């Protein structure tokens, strides 16, 4: 899973392991810390596979090295971006990693990623709405004080709001991708 984000970030510029770790930590959902014991073996593995190479940074006293994406790494990145995302606990993080790497892929693949994300979010929304209706019905039929149901409904309100926010974000992204596609097309015809 981390491979996707690391390769995607490296499509735009070379980076140190420390900077890559910071980006990885901030991209995980929920956010969590990544230890050097996880990060550096992963970078070594990517280097052993030929996806990255380490370059010495010029003008640094400590022989700082930067990870650089190879042609094989870029091909691997494109494969990972095109791969489907399983609906499991890592789903949101993987989609966030893909969103971070969207600049490195074509418009059709970008659209496919957004379509897949929308389908997953719409499925979640439908499930939350079904449970919400069920709990509302139970609450109205109850003859006793049911704070447990009220709090379950409030919790679902949060989940519903998050789904709606994500779907609105998707709508805005699609509009921007269409604008980018038109601008790119106009530049190509000049």
């Amino acid at each position: 899973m981390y491979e996707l984000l690391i390769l995607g970030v490296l499509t735009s510029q070379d980076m140190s392991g420390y900077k890559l770790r910071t980006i990885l930590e901030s991209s995980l959902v929920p956010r969590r810390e990544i230890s050097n014991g996880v990060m550096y073996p992963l970078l070594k593995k990517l280097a052993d596979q030929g996806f990255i190479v380490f370059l010495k940074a010029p003008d640094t006293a400590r022989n700082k090295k930067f990870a650089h994406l190879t042609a094989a790494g870029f091909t691997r990145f494109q494969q990972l971006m095109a791969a489907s995302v399983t609906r499991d606990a890592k789903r949101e993080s993987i989609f966030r990693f893909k969103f971070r790497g969207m600049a490195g892929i074509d418009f059709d693949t970008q659209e496919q990623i957004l379509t897949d994300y929308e389908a997953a979010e719409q499925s979640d929304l439908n499930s939350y709405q079904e449970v919400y209706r069920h709990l509302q019905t139970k609450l109205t039929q109850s003859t006793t004080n049911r704070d447990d149901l009220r709090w379950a409904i409030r919790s679902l309100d949060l989940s519903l709001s998050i789904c709606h926010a994500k779907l609105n974000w998707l709508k805005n992204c699609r509009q921007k991708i269409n604008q980018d596609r038109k601008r790119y097309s106009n530049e190509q015809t000049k």
Side-chain angles (χ1 to χ4, degrees):
M1 173 174 87
Y2 299 159
E3 175 184 8
L4 171 62
L5 180 67
I6 291 169
L7 296 177
V9 168
L10 292 175
T11 62
S12 62
Q13 69 183 48
D14 298 345
M15 288 191 188
S16 67
Y18 174 81
K19 181 69 173 175
L20 286 167
R21 191 183 84 207
T22 302
I23 291 170
L24 183 59
E25 288 175 346
S26 68
S27 299
L28 290 168
V29 180
R31 190 201 169 283
R32 58 188 178 273
E33 291 187 19
I34 302 295
S35 70
N36 287 337
V38 170
M39 190 68 199
Y40 289 99
L42 176 58
L43 292 174
K44 182 181 180 333
K45 178 182 165 193
L46 293 173
D48 290 346
Q49 293 172 324
F51 298 149
I52 63 172
V53 293
F54 292 101
L55 306 174
K56 288 185 181 182
D59 305 324
T60 59
R62 297 182 343 189
N63 285 332
K64 194 173 193 176
K65 293 181 183 176
F66 286 84
H68 174 80
L69 188 68
T70 65
F74 185 72
T75 299
R76 177 68 177 146
F77 162 73
Q78 289 181 316
Q79 292 168 345
L80 292 170
M81 289 294 283
S84 61
V85 177
T86 57
R87 295 196 180 183
D88 60 16
K90 297 176 187 173
R91 179 185 83 190
E92 187 68 25
S93 288
I94 292 171
F95 273 116
R96 298 275 179 106
F97 293 175
K98 286 188 176 207
F99 298 149
R100 184 88 191 224
M102 293 282 251
I105 56 174
D106 61 80
F107 292 118
D108 291 338
T109 306
Q110 290 176 5
E111 183 59 41
Q112 185 58 54
I113 290 168
L114 293 179
T115 298
D116 293 347
Y117 189 61
E118 181 178 36
E121 287 306 314
Q122 190 61 54
S123 175
D124 288 352
L125 179 62
N126 294 342
S127 294
Y128 294 144
Q129 287 172 331
E130 184 178 326
V131 173
Y132 186 92
R133 285 188 295 270
H134 172 73
L135 292 176
Q136 285 282 30
T137 301
K138 284 186 81 158
L139 185 61
T140 58
Q141 293 172 350
S142 178
T143 58
T144 61
N145 183 13
R146 295 296 308 263
D147 281 341
D148 60 326
L149 290 177
R150 283 184 195 76
W151 277 106
I153 290 168
R154 289 175 189 143
S155 176
L156 279 170
D157 278 335
L158 174 60
S159 297
L160 289 164
S161 295
I162 291 169
C163 282
H164 285 296
K166 289 177 181 180
L167 292 171
N168 284 334
W169 177 85
L170 279 162
K171 180 181 172 187
N172 291 334
C173 268
R174 281 204 168 95
Q175 290 172 346
K176 290 175 183 172
I177 286 174
N178 287 333
Q179 291 169 354
D180 292 345
R181 192 186 298 249
K182 287 177 186 173
R183 186 175 55 251
Y184 179 77
S185 179
N186 289 339
E187 289 172 0
Q188 296 301 311
T189 58
K190 288 182 181 180

